Amino acid sequence: MSPAHYLALSALLLCLGAAGVLIRRNAIVMFMSVELMLNAANLALVTASRMHGTLDGQVFAFFAMVVAAAEVVVGLAIIVQIFRSRRTASIDDASLLKY
Amino acid sequence: MSLFSPALLVGIPLVSAAVLLLLGKRSNAWGHFLGTTASIASFGVAVAAVMHLVSQPVGSREINQTVWNWFTVGNFSVDVTLSIDALSGVFILLITGVGSLIHIYSIGYMSHDENRRKFFAYLNLFIAAMLLLVLANNFLLLYVGWEGVGLASFLLIGFWQHKNSASTAANKAFILNRVGDFGLAAAVMLMFVTFGSVSFPTVFAHVGSAPGHTTTWIALALLLAACGKSAQFPLQSWLLDAMEGPTPVSALIHAATMVTAGVYLVARSNAIFDLTQTGRTAVMIVGTITLLMGAVIGIAKDDIKKALAGSTMSQIGYMMLAVGLGPVGYVWAIFHLLTHGFFKANMFLGAGSVMHGMNDDVNMRHYGALRKSMAITFGTFLIGYLAIIGVPPFAGFFSKDEIIKAAFEQSVWAGAAALLGAGITAYYMSRVMFMTFFGKARWQSGVHPHESPAVMTIPLIVLALLSAVAGYGLLHVINLEEWLTPLLHPTTGELPFNEALLLPGTLAVVAVGVVLAWFAYGSTHEIPVQAPRGNAFIRAARADLGGDAFNQEVVIGPGERLTATLVAVDEKVLDASVMGIADTFTGLGGRFRSLQTGFTRSYALVMVVGVIIVGAVAFLVRLS
Amino acid sequence: MAIVFWVCAILSVLGGFGMVISRKAVHSALWLALTMVNLAVLYVSQNAEFLGIVQIVVYTGAVMMLFLFVLMIVGVDSSDSLVETIRGHRLASIAAIVVLASLVTVMVVEGVKNLIVNDSPVGLEQANAFDGGNVAGIARLLFGRYVFAFEATSALLITAVLGAMVLAHRERFAPAKTQEMLSRERLNDPANAAGLPAPGVYARHNSVSTPALLPDGSTAESSIMAPLAARGVVDDVREYIALSAAADAAVTEDEGENS
């Protein structure tokens, strides 16, 4: 298949993830949406790797996965902590940081 | 270290001052004895040193002592060298002699002051600094002494610092002296640049080879320094306010010694002034203006100390006039300096004695008829009075007469001014005399005039004796002219008229002054206790002939306006722009603050918008 | 290959949609897992075998499990309400997403038009063959050109582990209760000295989701586990009571006929 198809799929998934981040209020689901966006970016990187015939794109995708894993671990720990203190997973309830 | 070591001379009062200041209140009980003893010991050393000089042949009358090498920078080396020669010899005798008498007097005068010990410490400090000034063998060390006496003067004028007027007067003296000190600093720098040295022998030996305009500039800078220290026009206005200090201070510092430092400086630098007619003329003009100004101010003042201070200005004006005359005048300036040191210290101490008996009232309109209740003070004051107006055979007669003569030899105008000054002197001093000791008693209620204790009257008597005999003694017994000849090289000039006319003429002018004063303030005349308004002339003289107004208009006023302008610029332009930037961002912050809702999803939305903008820009740039 | 792409693409987009619109977080997680597995297949189909395997192991294996674990802690019941609390947010979000979608669409279309994205990719056969395989090729890059970045990620991971430990750690202010203390506590509470009531047993139902009946005919809330109550799966027992009563009556009738 043409790389254009893969890139189009990547773009579509990215928009879906962005929509999830913006619309959903459950912190965990927002997190999942962010993961979806990262995966869309990875798909674009892998496609670019094939398009140019070098493996650098795949290595970048690999790094993106590592960073995403680290981010998930810390992010979920924060969510757990917020849940412990507020008894809620809604992101709108943790809105006091501006003060 | 021999007995007449110059270092010992300076060291004794300096150590005494250090001891008194460092021990503080622990030395309260014996502080005044230590201070007086130190001064007298210094006087002893001075006498020994001068005796030693006298025993030497004329050509080698000099004691040099290099205490240590101060600093060496490249080829420029300055030693702390003290030297006693004919000129500094007479000064150390005057400083330590009159200083010791005033120390003794102060024991009585300051006996009720709880800070007497500090007063003596400052007096010792002054003695040490003044001795350093006259003993210094280079201009840099002289500068140290110059600043030292300025400091001591500041401390002593402001000694009663609880009085606002005293601390203001001290500040005024200090600040005006800074202007003069700038002149001395400039002179020292010019010497260093021109001669590569600041020591007296080197500078005076090479001054002939320097370009003429450099010599003139050095001379004018030295004149500025002398004006500051000696209260000469246009830096004269601090001296009248300096009378806020205790009376012994006025007698020692602001009459006998420190204010004559300018005369010493010019006389010491005679090698420089000999070479520049412009410099000498400037000195002469300054001296003439000041001698008339001081005399006129003396007429109008009701405060006895301020009247004497005007007189001091005037007499130092005579000395400046004399040194401005060049070789014909140097010796007579020093001569008048010495006699003035005696009779003016005598009169100031007498005034202090009067104030002591009158509950520290200084207004002469509250005096009158004191000659009976204060016999000793009256007697000594009378001798000082006769000396200052120049009645033979008292001291002032000889010295002032010589100056008037030298002035006529140089210029008719200067001589006429000096003669007129002598007349005014006779008038205002007679006024002081009549208002204080004659006429009816105008005492305030509760005042019981009494004679001062012996510790105060003995110095008065000694000084009165000196005022009586010093003129004849110095001129004919000791022969001051011959003594100073190796240093000052006096010459004589031609009088434009018959010399036989001078003496009667001078005495006639003096007599006119006394008679006029007798009609104005003598026994038949009623003196109002409240000062009358007086004519414009008197009012101007009361206002120090515009000395303060001059400073206010020429220096302070423009300075204040400049400051106000700068403050306005600072507030309206600089601050406003800075604050304007801050206000702009505060306002913008207020606007943008509403964007910060605290809701993560709002932030996410902003981020998405940012991503769109960045992506669009990158895309468009890539396309183009 | 086209078939693989179309099947996996459609399934992954479906998974994405499902994740965004599912009201329950658990469903979202499962939808996301579907998307990720399909993406792994797409990686493999683009000669990225190593990344495909890593995608399955790391994402579907580790990350999604972590999500599910956290959902267990945070509560599976947490579902979004549909009422928007931030004024104008939903409209602005939709507008932003539409603009974003337009932008990326234009980007892809323009990329194709300007031959930045062409129909004849270079392919990775040569690159993979150079080191004797995809894994070896990636390893050459990781430990060669990108070794510093690789080492930096190790520091990042260590930091993340420590951060997670610090954040998730809960300080214990009192010693843990022993079994003895727990039993004493229970016996000291007269209401539940004999333990909480067991779930109800009815003629046709005896699951843990059926609450027990109290003497006055109401249901005992404490006989149901809290997660079931929170999930809203507690059975309505009135129907069971009726059924039980009918069964009771039938049995009584039988006995009456038999006796």
Side-chain angles (χ1 to χ4, degrees):
Chain A
M1 286 302 288
S2 149
H5 289 86
Y6 285 97
L7 291 178
L9 174 62
S10 163
L12 185 53
L13 290 176
L14 183 90
C15 290
L16 276 177
V21 170
L22 291 182
I23 292 167
R24 298 301 300 263
R25 259 179 289 174
N26 187 314
I28 300 173
V29 179
M30 282 180 76
F31 232 118
M32 291 179 198
S33 303
V34 172
E35 294 301 317
L36 184 59
M37 291 173 81
L38 281 167
N39 269 287
N42 279 353
L43 181 61
L45 283 170
V46 170
T47 306
S49 169
R50 183 167 71 101
M51 208 165 77
H52 296 299
T54 58
L55 288 171
D56 297 60
Q58 293 190 16
V59 174
F60 286 164
F62 175 74
F63 281 132
M65 282 183 190
V66 174
V67 174
E71 169 236 340
V72 162
V73 169
V74 176
L76 286 177
I78 292 172
I79 288 172
V80 169
Q81 198 67 4
I82 290 174
F83 180 77
R84 275 184 191 155
S85 60
R86 300 189 173 277
R87 288 286 138 194
T88 176
S90 171
I91 200 81
D92 285 354
D93 291 340
S95 64
L96 297 179
L97 201 63
K98 70 167 175 174
Y99 294 112
Chain B
M1 192 179 281
S2 62
L3 178 61
F4 40 83
S5 146
L8 197 61
L9 203 57
V10 180
I12 294 170
L14 192 63
V15 168
S16 165
V19 166
L20 292 179
L21 286 176
L22 289 178
L23 283 187
K25 289 182 176 153
R26 267 160 289 189
S27 56
N28 267 355
W30 42 269
H32 49 289
F33 290 121
L34 177 65
T36 311
T37 312
S39 181
I40 293 171
S42 207
F43 177 61
V45 175
V47 169
V50 173
M51 295 306 277
H52 177 75
L53 287 190
V54 170
S55 67
Q56 300 293 313
V58 174
S60 55
R61 281 177 178 167
E62 192 170 345
I63 302 172
N64 279 312
Q65 184 186 17
T66 299
V67 188
W68 73 82
N69 178 267
W70 189 357
F71 60 82
T72 302
V73 182
N75 292 330
F76 182 52
S77 178
V78 176
D79 291 335
V80 177
T81 300
L82 304 173
S83 74
I84 305 177
D85 55 16
L87 184 59
S88 53
V90 298
F91 268 92
I92 58 175
L93 285 180
L94 174 75
I95 295 161
T96 55
V98 175
S100 298
L101 289 172
I102 289 172
H103 272 78
I104 296 167
Y105 177 89
S106 301
I107 295 176
Y109 188 84
M110 299 296 284
S111 58
H112 302 305
D113 198 297
E114 58 185 12
N115 285 324
R116 179 163 65 162
R117 182 253 328 153
K118 200 158 65 173
F119 181 79
F120 276 88
Y122 291 161
L123 276 188
N124 277 178
L125 182 66
F126 169 76
I127 296 275
M130 190 72 205
L131 287 171
L132 187 63
L133 197 165
V134 297
L135 292 175
N137 195 28
N138 59 60
F139 279 99
L140 212 54
L141 195 58
L142 179 141
Y143 195 24
V144 175
W146 193 266
E147 293 297 330
V149 292
L151 169 69
S153 163
F154 167 78
L155 292 171
L156 286 165
I157 295 171
F159 186 73
W160 287 320
Q161 55 196 223
H162 52 85
K163 288 200 308 192
N164 196 31
S165 56
S167 65
T168 309
N171 284 336
K172 187 177 180 185
F174 202 74
I175 292 163
L176 272 171
N177 267 294
R178 294 274 76 67
V179 180
D181 295 344
F182 163 77
L184 186 54
V188 171
M189 290 173 202
L190 272 173
M191 285 170 200
F192 168 64
V193 170
T194 313
F195 308 112
S197 168
V198 294
S199 84
F200 291 158
T202 317
V203 171
F204 297 153
H206 292 91
V207 69
S209 56
H213 61 90
T214 309
T215 316
T216 305
W217 280 115
I218 293 176
L220 291 178
L222 288 173
L223 173 64
L224 179 62
C227 283
K229 196 58 83 188
S230 295
Q232 298 295 295
F233 178 82
L235 300 177
Q236 82 287 3
S237 66
W238 65 270
L239 185 62
L240 291 158
D241 289 341
M243 296 302 125
E244 288 291 340
T247 307
V249 172
S250 310
L252 176 62
I253 301 185
H254 305 122
T257 54
M258 185 190 85
V259 286
T260 59
V263 179
Y264 168 78
L265 184 68
V266 177
R268 174 61 84 185
S269 312
N270 62 73
I272 296 172
F273 282 90
D274 282 349
L275 292 173
T276 163
Q277 180 61 49
T278 316
R280 264 180 295 150
T281 311
V283 175
M284 212 168 83
I285 292 170
V286 165
T288 311
I289 293 175
T290 316
L291 89 85
L292 292 175
M293 234 178 132
V296 170
I297 291 172
I299 294 174
K301 291 289 178 184
D302 289 331
D303 178 331
I304 185 170
K305 284 181 72 181
K306 293 207 168 168
L308 289 176
S311 158
T312 304
M313 262 173 70
S314 170
Q315 298 301 314
I316 296 169
Y318 271 109
M319 298 171 209
M320 290 303 275
L321 167 63
V323 289
L325 296 174
V328 296
Y330 294 133
V331 170
W332 310 123
I334 301 301
F335 183 31
H336 191 58
L337 192 156
L338 292 173
T339 55
H340 173 256
F342 297 140
F343 60 69
K344 189 50 70 61
N346 172 23
M347 294 174 82
F348 261 112
L349 294 186
S353 176
V354 171
M355 285 159 56
H356 196 71
M358 298 292 285
N359 292 357
D360 289 330
D361 194 346
V362 292
N363 192 342
M364 289 190 291
R365 293 187 183 277
H366 300 161
Y367 292 172
L370 290 174
R371 68 180 180 278
K372 295 203 182 72
S373 44
M374 295 185 179
I376 301 175
T377 306
F378 168 66
T380 55
F381 201 92
L382 181 67
I383 294 173
Y385 161 72
L386 294 173
I388 192 172
I389 65 173
V391 172
F394 296 98
F397 163 73
F398 295 95
S399 54
K400 197 183 282 183
D401 202 49
E402 292 289 358
I403 289 178
I404 294 171
K405 183 174 157 215
F408 270 119
E409 281 167 10
Q410 201 74 11
S411 139
V412 180
W413 291 108
L419 195 58
L420 177 63
I424 306 175
T425 305
Y427 180 81
Y428 70 74
M429 282 318 299
S430 305
R431 175 175 174 270
V432 170
M433 198 69 200
F434 296 149
M435 282 178 83
T436 306
F437 293 103
F438 292 89
K440 290 184 188 152
R442 301 178 298 275
W443 308 337
Q444 299 293 92
S445 60
V447 172
H448 305 289
H450 55 86
E451 188 55 270
S452 300
V455 75
M456 287 167 70
T457 50
I458 290 170
L460 281 177
I461 293 166
V462 174
L463 284 169
L465 280 175
L466 285 169
S467 307
V469 303
Y472 184 83
L474 283 173
L475 195 58
H476 298 298
V477 179
I478 298 175
N479 202 345
L480 187 72
E481 187 176 6
E482 189 191 309
W483 169 257
L484 289 171
T485 297
L487 280 172
L488 301 179
H489 319 293
T491 57
T492 49
E494 285 289 311
L495 270 183
F497 47 82
N498 193 343
E499 194 172 345
L501 290 174
L502 183 65
L503 182 58
T506 309
L507 287 176
V509 170
V510 169
V512 167
V514 174
V515 168
L516 284 178
W518 176 257
F519 283 121
Y521 298 98
S523 59
T524 57
H525 195 84
E526 196 67 30
I527 297 170
V529 175
Q530 287 299 320
R533 189 158 172 272
N535 56 30
F537 178 73
I538 293 293
R539 286 199 300 276
R542 276 199 196 119
D544 303 347
L545 288 182
D548 287 340
F550 176 81
N551 289 342
Q552 181 68 37
E553 289 305 316
V554 177
V555 183
I556 301 172
E560 280 177 344
R561 280 194 286 282
L562 178 66
T563 313
T565 313
L566 289 178
V567 167
V569 168
D570 183 43
E571 282 176 354
K572 301 264 164 58
V573 181
L574 296 178
D575 263 14
S577 58
V578 172
M579 296 309 290
I581 291 171
D583 287 344
T584 308
F585 281 102
T586 311
L588 282 178
R591 297 283 165 80
F592 284 128
R593 188 175 56 186
S594 57
L595 284 181
Q596 196 199 4
T597 55
F599 291 112
T600 315
R601 289 185 299 145
S602 300
Y603 302 161
L605 180 60
V606 173
M607 281 170 71
V608 169
V609 172
V611 165
I612 291 170
I613 292 170
V614 171
V617 168
F619 180 62
L620 292 175
V621 169
R622 181 70 200 262
L623 272 189
S624 57
Chain C
M1 283 318 239
I3 299 168
V4 172
F5 173 77
W6 285 115
V7 170
C8 291
I10 289 167
L11 282 177
S12 59
V13 171
L14 190 67
F17 263 116
M19 184 209 71
V20 172
I21 61 178
S22 293
R23 287 193 57 195
K24 297 202 172 185
V26 179
H27 295 173
S28 288
L30 293 175
W31 284 119
L32 184 61
L34 174 67
T35 303
M36 286 182 170
V37 171
N38 280 294
L39 284 178
V41 174
L42 287 178
Y43 291 169
V44 174
S45 75
Q46 296 200 83
N47 300 71
E49 294 89 356
F50 177 67
L51 273 185
I53 300 303
V54 169
Q55 170 84 358
I56 291 190
V57 171
V58 172
Y59 267 113
T60 36
V63 173
M64 291 319 298
M65 282 311 112
L66 201 55
F67 269 112
L68 288 172
F69 264 122
V70 171
L71 279 172
M72 292 303 154
I73 298 170
V74 168
V76 286
D77 60 306
S78 52
S79 53
D80 285 359
S81 85
L82 293 173
V83 182
E84 180 57 59
T85 47
I86 308 173
R87 187 157 53 90
H89 180 80
R90 185 169 289 167
L91 206 61
S93 300
I94 290 167
I97 287 159
V98 169
V99 173
L100 182 65
S102 324
L103 180 67
V104 288
T105 308
V106 171
M107 277 178 169
V108 174
V109 170
E110 284 292 315
V112 172
K113 200 192 283 176
N114 293 324
L115 296 179
I116 297 166
V117 180
N118 52 32
D119 275 343
S120 51
V122 179
L124 287 165
E125 287 77 12
Q126 211 177 348
N128 278 344
F130 184 76
D131 285 304
N134 179 252
V135 176
I138 289 178
R140 167 180 288 280
L141 284 177
L142 269 187
F143 296 105
R145 192 186 297 167
Y146 298 113
V147 67
F148 286 111
F150 184 68
E151 291 300 329
T153 55
S154 68
L156 176 73
L157 284 173
I158 288 284
T159 315
V161 168
L162 283 175
M165 280 172 64
V166 169
L167 283 169
H169 179 72
R170 183 154 48 172
E171 197 68 37
R172 196 178 265 289
F173 297 110
K177 289 173 179 168
T178 61
Q179 198 171 7
E180 184 193 350
M181 288 163 76
L182 285 171
S183 74
R184 279 184 190 284
E185 212 168 75
R186 201 176 69 205
L187 289 174
N188 284 337
D189 178 14
N192 293 314
L196 292 171
V201 177
Y202 301 92
R204 292 193 185 176
H205 298 272
N206 64 345
S207 86
V208 288
S209 63
T210 53
L213 280 180
L214 290 172
D216 62 352
S218 63
T219 54
E221 297 293 331
S222 56
S223 64
I224 300 292
M225 285 188 287
L228 294 180
R231 221 185 289 166
V233 294
V234 178
D235 295 350
D236 186 358
V237 295
R238 279 170 300 184
E239 193 188 340
Y240 302 164
I241 294 169
L243 286 170
S244 292
D248 217 21
V251 169
T252 315
E253 200 173 303
D254 277 3
E255 283 175 351
E257 282 173 7
N258 291 342
S259 59

